[in-house]
Amino acid sequence: MAAKNNVFTDKETINWFKASKALNVAKQGLTDFLDKQLQNVHAALGKCCGNCPIEKLIPCPTNPYCNKRKRNYCPFHKSQKPQPCPTCDHVKQNIILQHRYSGPSWRNTRAENWAQDYWEIGKCFLPPDGYSHVCSVQESDFNGVISIMLNCLHFQTCLSSSCLSPPPPDKQCPLEKVRQIGRDVRHTSDNKVTDADQQDYFQTLSTLLADPNCLQHDPSATIACTTLRDIQLQNDHMSIEELEEYERGKADFRRNLIQFYTTKMNTVSVSPLWEGCDKPVCDIFVTPKLISIIIEKDGSRTKTNHTIQQYKDIFYNDKKLNRVLIEGDPGTGKSTFLIKLALDWCEAVLLHNPIHLSTFSDVDTLKDFQFLFTFH
Ligand SMILES: [Zn+2]
Ligand SMILES: [Zn+2]
């Protein structure tokens, strides 16, 4: 298999395999530490009554949660009106004080479980979107783990000061650099890492895992350090196991892309004059009338009278097309069509939500594409 051979011999691709593996190892190595520290945070914040969901504890309107869509209707507070509860408000205040940017991710958390579940408090320190269904530190990804350590001020007390100086969000902050490694490796366009970067990644991750304050004495972190050294020394050919790692890396990337489309791109503004008036694309979408245009090799265009009625008409002629251009006058719904296409793709390849209405009936056609990128 030609593709397999290329993958196995390219040095920078192998570096990427190793870096990607290093991130998983580092995350594993930090998990026990994070678990233990979040239990400490939980114990220090005070007890909740256990009956108040987060909607009750947040006044209306609070941005960005109460992005009011209609007068007197708040999508965030639709099931619960705000109502003060001195016990829970006290804990809530403490969480805000513990947050580096005073901006806990309320949408991620179930406040009624704050009393018995330290992870529900930990989730307040995760990035704002996409983590509400993550049930534990173990299930969280590398970015989530590092984000908690960056956002929760408690970690200043259990990491050495050099880890957090200069303080975040300064890009020179060593812990910010760690997070950036995760982003660089996961969001690469070519799955390649240079030798210099690879060395730098391993050095930075090992330094964190051997941090003299607590991690140095943490058995999981110590094992992770040794494993990192082994990976780095491994000779540069790839086993079946590494090939699986590569496939997992691709799967991760696809999951990230789907998360992005379904959480960041799923609404459109319905009026340029009325800021914040965004609607879910699926609620307002109307299939535009599309006709196919044939572009000849010399660049000349011939309009056909063939109306597009299926995804097959867009993505296949005789064979599968890799690039498709959608043209039209301003305001005819090109962007909305593309967002809807991205959401349909998410449904076809992963989500399979039975109530999702796809633009064309042959949504399964989109399964033929491992990745779908839309450019506006
Ligand atoms: Zn509200
Ligand atoms: Zn309460």
Side-chain angles (χ1 to χ4, degrees):
M1 228 163 70
K4 196 165 155 185
N5 284 337
N6 289 336
V7 164
F8 278 71
T9 51
D10 182 65
K11 182 74 170 57
E12 295 196 343
T13 309
I14 291 168
N15 287 344
W16 178 84
F17 278 123
K18 289 187 172 185
S20 171
K21 204 170 182 181
L23 289 176
N24 289 340
V25 170
K27 194 214 111 189
Q28 292 298 331
L30 293 168
T31 302
D32 284 352
F33 164 73
L34 199 77
D35 236 4
K36 198 155 73 192
Q37 297 305 332
L38 285 177
Q39 290 175 42
N40 293 340
V41 172
H42 181 240
L45 288 177
K47 276 268 175 207
C48 283
C49 77
N51 297 320
C52 299
I54 192 67
E55 292 86 348
K56 217 171 128 181
L57 304 177
I58 291 188
C60 191
T62 298
N63 273 333
Y65 308 103
C66 308
N67 210 342
K68 292 216 174 199
R69 287 174 192 165
K70 275 185 208 149
R71 213 204 269 255
N72 298 329
Y73 172 79
C74 167
F76 187 72
H77 284 102
K78 59 175 185 277
S79 55
Q80 280 284 339
K81 299 283 163 267
Q83 195 185 330
C85 165
T87 323
C88 297
D89 283 337
H90 177 70
V91 178
K92 190 190 93 175
Q93 276 315 318
N94 283 341
I95 297 175
I96 297 173
L97 289 175
Q98 272 293 335
H99 196 283
R100 184 176 296 277
Y101 307 103
S102 310
S105 300
W106 300 130
R107 228 194 305 255
N108 282 332
T109 191
R110 276 181 286 269
E112 60 275 35
N113 294 344
W114 282 353
Q116 80 269 25
D117 187 356
Y118 62 90
W119 177 241
E120 286 301 332
I121 296 211
K123 281 157 90 181
C124 298
F125 302 98
L126 282 166
D129 291 306
Y131 285 92
S132 59
H133 297 296
V134 176
C135 301
S136 63
V137 178
Q138 287 74 11
E139 255 187 44
S140 173
D141 59 4
F142 180 80
N143 182 50
V145 166
I146 305 297
S147 296
I148 292 177
M149 292 165 68
L150 279 163
N151 293 337
C152 177
L153 291 172
H154 168 79
F155 286 88
Q156 289 181 161
T157 64
C158 44
L159 290 169
S160 60
S161 55
S162 60
C163 258
L164 287 158
S165 103
D170 194 313
K171 284 194 166 59
Q172 292 310 310
C173 165
L175 200 52
E176 284 283 3
K177 283 187 180 170
V178 170
R179 176 158 66 180
Q180 193 56 41
I181 295 175
R183 291 174 174 162
D184 290 347
V185 173
R186 292 287 187 233
H187 299 168
T188 156
S189 55
D190 58 1
N191 292 4
K192 286 178 195 291
V193 168
T194 64
D195 287 348
D197 281 347
Q198 199 232 123
Q199 285 209 351
D200 182 55
Y201 293 170
F202 275 80
Q203 180 64 45
T204 311
L205 293 173
S206 306
T207 307
L208 173 63
L209 286 162
D211 187 77
N213 198 327
C214 295
L215 283 162
Q216 198 180 30
H217 310 292
D218 181 294
S220 303
T222 312
I223 294 172
C225 267
T226 317
T227 314
L228 285 185
R229 215 168 310 138
D230 291 347
I231 297 172
Q232 218 181 353
L233 292 174
Q234 246 169 36
N235 52 26
D236 291 335
H237 65 256
M238 285 287 153
S239 62
I240 294 299
E241 189 192 311
E242 268 101 9
L243 186 65
E244 283 166 11
E245 182 75 35
Y246 176 70
E247 290 300 328
R248 262 200 298 279
K250 276 204 308 200
D252 274 355
F253 178 68
R254 191 159 88 164
R255 254 196 308 279
N256 286 334
L257 193 64
I258 289 172
Q259 194 179 63
F260 175 75
Y261 286 150
T262 52
T263 60
K264 301 273 193 241
M265 272 191 28
N266 57 343
T267 56
V268 282
S269 168
V270 289
S271 160
L273 303 173
W274 191 4
E275 218 182 312
C277 185
D278 290 355
K279 296 268 183 196
V281 172
C282 292
D283 290 3
I284 57 156
F285 182 73
V286 181
T287 310
K289 186 176 184 250
L290 293 164
I291 52 167
S292 57
I293 295 176
I294 296 166
I295 305 179
E296 305 291 349
K297 281 211 173 70
D298 64 3
S300 67
R301 291 154 179 249
T302 326
K303 261 194 186 175
T304 66
N305 46 19
H306 176 208
T307 312
I308 307 276
Q309 276 163 347
Q310 288 202 304
Y311 276 128
K312 273 214 169 56
D313 302 334
I314 301 180
F315 291 107
Y316 286 84
N317 47 20
D318 295 333
K319 54 181 184 354
K320 189 162 136 188
L321 301 169
N322 282 318
R323 250 181 337 167
V324 170
L325 188 67
I326 308 280
E327 275 188 335
D329 291 329
T332 48
K334 295 183 299 290
S335 305
T336 316
F337 176 78
L338 288 180
I339 295 173
K340 182 65 171 45
L341 166 65
L343 294 172
D344 283 356
W345 174 77
C346 297
E347 288 298 331
V349 297
L350 185 78
L351 304 175
H352 315 301
N353 180 353
I355 61 163
H356 178 85
L357 261 185
S358 62
T359 305
F360 299 113
S361 59
D362 66 330
V363 68
D364 280 351
T365 300
L366 301 178
K367 269 193 205 154
D368 299 348
F369 297 85
Q370 280 205 56
F371 297 102
L372 182 139
F373 303 99
T374 73
F375 300 97
H376 299 222

